[in-house]
Amino acid sequence: MVKIIRDASDIEEGLKTLVLIDPRLERVAERAGPLPLRLSEPGFAGLAHIIVSQVVSRASADAIWRRMLDEMGEVTAQNYLAVTSEDVPRFGLSRAKARTLHGVATAIVGGGLDLESLNLLDDSSAFSALTALKGVGPWTAQVYLMFCGGHSDIFPSGDVALQAAVAHALGTDTRPSAKKLAEMAMFWSPWRSVAARLFWAYYASMTRRDVLPIA
């Protein structure tokens, strides 16, 4: 059964377990400070926000999202399809992102995708269902499952900030590749989603900027 992170107490439980599993993380936790929860409701808006966030800067992503809210009021699959077309980007979206969002919205409205029900699936099945959508890659699927689904054992090893944070925190000679980091993160199961939050918070304490993929 999938363990779901629902509130700060789950983050606290996960961190305590991680420090027992890997004592090196105690020092990382001291530097990182409080770990963010950042949960959003599952559904089209949550996935769309993650897709939109993958632009040049957070300021650009925020501007695009404001335009979408101003136009639609509520960002739903039905509302998105009502004001957009597949081939004509709006809101400042790239053509590729517009097509991805249009495909996701079409799948939801057509009944082929129920994002809310993904919480009932195991990590692998939920991940496969998301990445089967054209334009939804591993990072997008993992971040959605973490922050909209609350899955407790996800680690987006392709995230550059996580790679840099783990390298610095654990004193490795080079930044680990996505494959190597995924292997390293297996040690932090079944709380890899809390481990990811830990290293993001650690990186933020080093760089003085918020690097979490969801605001």
Side-chain angles (χ1 to χ4, degrees), residues 51 54 96 100 130-137 140:
I51 292 168
Q54 298 169 54
T100 297
L130 286 169
T131 54
L133 299 164
K134 188 174 182 179
V136 176
T140 302

Side-chain angles (χ1 to χ4, degrees), residues 43-44 47 51 76-82 84 86 98-118 128-136:
F44 177 76
L47 182 55
I51 292 168
T76 66
Q78 291 84 354
N79 288 349
Y80 185 83
L81 292 179
T84 64
E86 183 175 6
R99 285 177 175 169
T100 297
L101 287 177
H102 200 276
V104 171
T106 299
I108 291 171
V109 171
L113 176 66
D114 181 355
L115 289 172
E116 287 80 1
S117 72
L118 289 184
S128 295
L130 286 169
T131 54
L133 299 164
K134 188 174 182 179
V136 176

Side-chain angles (χ1 to χ4, degrees), residues 3-206:
K3 179 168 180 57
I4 299 297
I5 292 173
R6 301 186 186 281
D7 54 38
S9 67
D10 293 319
I11 299 292
E12 183 179 354
E13 178 188 350
L15 184 58
K16 286 180 179 178
T17 303
L18 285 169
V19 170
L20 290 175
I21 292 172
D22 188 347
R24 298 175 301 172
L25 300 186
E26 184 171 4
R27 180 182 59 81
V28 180
E30 290 172 356
R31 175 68 185 269
L35 303 191
L37 182 62
R38 300 273 179 96
L39 289 182
S40 299
E41 288 294 321
F44 177 76
L47 182 55
H49 203 178
I50 293 167
I51 292 168
V52 168
S53 74
Q54 298 169 54
V55 296
V56 175
S57 69
R58 178 157 287 182
S60 297
D62 290 344
I64 292 170
W65 192 250
R66 282 195 300 271
R67 292 183 201 113
M68 292 174 70
L69 288 172
D70 290 344
E71 178 79 19
M72 288 181 264
E74 183 181 5
V75 180
T76 66
Q78 291 84 354
N79 288 349
Y80 185 83
L81 292 179
V83 300
T84 64
S85 65
E86 183 175 6
D87 296 318
V88 182
R90 292 193 61 194
F91 312 118
L93 288 165
S94 68
R95 190 175 297 276
K97 285 184 172 48
R99 285 177 175 169
T100 297
L101 287 177
H102 200 276
V104 171
T106 299
I108 291 171
V109 171
L113 176 66
D114 181 355
L115 289 172
E116 287 80 1
S117 72
L118 289 184
N119 283 359
L120 303 176
L121 302 178
D122 62 82
D123 294 338
S124 178
S125 298
F127 177 81
S128 295
L130 286 169
T131 54
L133 299 164
K134 188 174 182 179
V136 176
W139 184 90
T140 302
Q142 290 165 334
V143 170
Y144 178 84
L145 291 175
M146 285 180 65
F147 292 106
C148 297
H151 285 228
S152 68
D153 200 26
I154 302 288
F155 197 94
S157 60
D159 188 280
V160 174
L162 282 181
Q163 294 169 4
V166 170
H168 189 278
L170 303 186
T172 61
D173 293 334
T174 58
R175 194 175 75 191
S177 65
K179 181 179 179 181
K180 177 63 176 176
L181 185 54
E183 293 171 355
M184 295 170 66
M186 288 296 295
F187 191 57
W188 303 317
S189 184
W191 289 105
R192 283 177 287 181
S193 295
V194 176
R197 284 175 169 85
L198 171 62
F199 284 107
W200 272 317
Y202 175 85
Y203 192 77
S205 75
M206 292 170 47

